[in-house]
Amino acid sequence: HSNGFYDKLPLMGKMEVFERTRAQTRGEELAKMLFLRSSSSEVWLSKRTNFTKSAAVTSIAGYILGLGDRHPNNLMIDKQSGKIVHIDFGDCWEVCQTRTKFPENVPFRMTRMMVKAMEVAGLNGSFRSDAENVMRCLRQNKDSVTAMLEAFVHDPLISWRLMAEAEAGGGEEEGQGGAGERVGREYDDDDDDDDEDDEGTKGTGEGGGKSTSSKEAANMKKKKQMRRLSKRSTPFRRASSTEIQDEDEDEAPVDKEELNELANRTLIRINQKLNGTDFKNEAALDVSEQVDKLIRQATSTANLCVLFQGWCSFW
């Protein structure tokens, strides 16, 4: 995998390698950890129950929000209770599912190691019933959930940067012209001393000074572009007042109508999930059918084998 050969395999080849590799281990480390860190059978049963219930709640809630990037470093387990605690909510609203390289086609993390840490029934026990109860509760209160999320659309401090990759690619394609020239002009306008230095350099030497000045200006253009893109690296986050001021000074902000359209599309997608029409089906699925499809997607070998290596899907 580290040599890149695995990524070049077709889907069937990846599935075969994935299954053979996973067959070399049992994947019982998490289950043993819960058992060995329990002082009694009652404590172990409580931890296992809390683990299963918290996994069901966070899985469905994370699916509604489109939460991605659920690799092991972003899932923690409380030592005392056994409950799952999620961190790092930067990749939400299905951003990970729509990226071009290594898209995450799973609604939530449910790998073999997590399944074996549950009770004997696995996914068909309390996990399924609790997941259905959570989805049913969210459906019954979908108006309140949607109203709460609509506040994010109209919050001026929220930066909807769902097109960061496209903007980064556009900057590279424009290269020496277009936006590159605009950035260069802004840089020259912001620093009058550099203009004077450039003029003095042009008057000396036989062109060597001018070439050096051009290289420095080009480097500054790249640095400024990287700073702007770094602000947009997180698809959804709360921007600080300093960043908002810098954006207003450095460049014309992205069209607010375009960003609002991205937010509205996200709300439409959330409504589809809450109505059971999230699988491109004409008729709305009931809760049990919807949860069953989500579990099948989360545990599908075809979906797990194409994830990036750091996601640790084989665990």
Side-chain angles (χ1 to χ4, degrees):
H1 201 330
S2 59
N3 295 329
F5 297 121
Y6 179 83
D7 296 334
K8 299 178 182 178
L9 292 174
L11 178 59
M12 295 302 297
K14 290 181 179 179
M15 293 177 62
E16 182 179 358
V17 173
F18 184 83
E19 290 289 355
R20 287 189 178 185
T21 303
R22 196 164 58 169
Q24 303 301 316
T25 59
R26 293 185 175 183
E28 297 177 347
E29 289 80 1
L30 187 56
K32 290 182 177 180
M33 185 272 294
L34 292 175
F35 177 77
L36 295 175
R37 288 183 176 272
S38 301
S39 58
S40 64
S41 59
E42 290 82 2
V43 174
W44 171 63
L45 179 61
S46 176
K47 284 186 177 181
R48 192 180 66 176
T49 302
N50 290 335
F51 175 85
T52 305
K53 289 181 177 294
S54 61
V57 173
T58 56
S59 295
I60 299 302
Y63 167 68
I64 297 298
L65 296 177
L67 183 61
D69 198 29
R70 296 299 90 193
H71 54 78
N73 288 338
N74 286 338
L75 272 73
M76 298 184 176
I77 299 178
D78 189 283
K79 292 182 179 179
Q80 302 298 326
S81 64
K83 294 181 179 179
I84 296 178
V85 180
H86 286 254
I87 63 173
D88 189 1
F89 302 98
D91 293 327
C92 52
W93 319 126
E94 296 187 346
V95 175
C96 292
Q97 295 186 12
T98 57
R99 62 190 177 194
T100 56
K101 192 172 184 180
F102 300 117
E104 294 184 13
N105 296 322
V106 291
F108 46 80
R109 183 179 184 89
M110 189 51 60
T111 56
R112 175 186 59 166
M113 187 178 293
M114 294 183 64
V115 175
K116 290 194 174 184
M118 298 178 183
E119 54 195 23
V120 178
L123 295 174
N124 295 319
S126 62
F127 176 85
R128 184 182 292 270
S129 61
D130 291 337
E132 291 178 358
N133 290 334
V134 173
M135 181 64 75
R136 189 175 295 108
C137 179
L138 290 174
R139 283 196 180 190
Q140 292 174 354
N141 298 275
K142 60 183 178 180
D143 293 335
S144 299
V145 175
T146 305
M148 180 178 60
L149 293 177
E150 282 181 354
F152 291 101
V153 179
H154 305 288
D155 190 341
L157 297 180
I158 294 297
S159 299
W160 287 89
R161 301 301 188 189
L162 300 181
M163 301 180 67
E165 291 184 4
E167 292 175 355
E172 292 175 359
E173 291 175 359
E174 289 171 350
Q176 298 177 352
E181 295 179 357
R182 179 173 60 83
V183 173
R185 287 195 297 269
E186 292 175 351
Y187 166 71
D188 291 339
D189 293 339
D190 293 340
D191 196 342
D192 296 334
D193 295 337
D194 290 345
D195 292 339
E196 296 176 359
D197 294 340
D198 291 344
E199 292 177 359
T201 306
K202 291 178 183 178
T204 59
E206 297 179 359
K210 182 178 180 180
S211 176
T212 303
S213 177
S214 300
K215 291 181 180 179
E216 292 177 354
N219 291 333
M220 291 301 297
K221 293 176 186 178
K222 293 180 180 179
K223 290 180 180 179
K224 204 158 193 178
Q225 286 176 329
M226 291 302 295
R227 285 198 300 269
R228 289 173 181 170
L229 292 176
S230 65
K231 295 178 183 178
R232 302 179 183 182
S233 58
T234 303
F236 177 83
R237 63 185 180 89
R238 184 173 293 274
S240 64
S241 58
T242 304
E243 290 177 340
I244 295 175
Q245 182 178 1
D246 292 342
E247 186 178 69
D248 293 339
E249 293 176 355
D250 288 345
E251 64 174 343
V254 180
D255 188 2
K256 292 183 179 179
E257 293 184 359
E258 180 182 356
L259 297 180
N260 215 35
E261 177 63 24
L262 294 172
N264 290 330
R265 270 186 278 169
T266 301
L267 289 176
I268 292 174
R269 177 63 179 155
I270 292 175
N271 281 321
Q272 291 175 345
K273 295 177 182 178
L274 294 174
N275 292 323
T277 57
D278 47 335
F279 293 98
K280 297 181 180 179
N281 47 300
E282 296 181 359
L285 299 175
D286 59 30
V287 173
S288 59
E289 292 176 338
Q290 186 181 19
V291 171
D292 182 70
K293 279 184 172 292
L294 293 177
I295 293 176
R296 290 177 181 274
Q297 281 189 349
T299 57
S300 171
T301 302
N303 291 336
L304 293 174
C305 69
V306 297
L307 298 174
F308 73 99
Q309 185 177 4
W311 208 85
C312 299
S313 55
F314 41 84
W315 282 1

